[in-house]
Amino acid sequence: MIYIFGSLLIISFIKQKDVLLGKKRNLVLFLILSVFGIALGVVHMISPYIPSIAYTLEKYLK
């Protein structure tokens, strides 16, 4: 699944290259969100049985 996500990131970067390189803010946001998504994918591959972020927030906000 992470390979599909990585390939979709590359495809979306190629298609939206002009928009992303037009403003540095767009490029930085794209990179931050991409790294965050890949990091979450790696964490899920390492330990797929950890509680989700939504479950953790729900547990602590009750």
Side-chain angles (χ1 to χ4, degrees):
M1 199 63 166
I2 196 154
Y3 301 116
I4 295 170
F5 182 70
S7 62
L8 288 174
L9 279 175
I10 293 170
I11 291 170
S12 65
F13 179 76
I14 291 170
K15 286 186 178 181
Q16 299 293 324
K17 179 174 54 173
D18 297 332
V19 174
L20 291 173
L21 296 177
K23 290 185 179 178
K24 295 298 179 188
R25 181 185 58 155
N26 292 344
L27 181 62
V28 170
L29 185 62
F30 180 79
L31 290 175
I32 289 173
L33 292 176
S34 299
V35 168
F36 187 68
I38 290 172
L40 286 176
V42 168
V43 167
H44 181 70
M45 284 176 52
I46 292 172
S47 179
Y49 299 109
I50 60 173
S52 68
I53 295 172
Y55 175 77
T56 306
L57 286 174
E58 182 181 330
K59 187 171 93 173
Y60 288 114
L61 292 177
K62 281 188 176 180

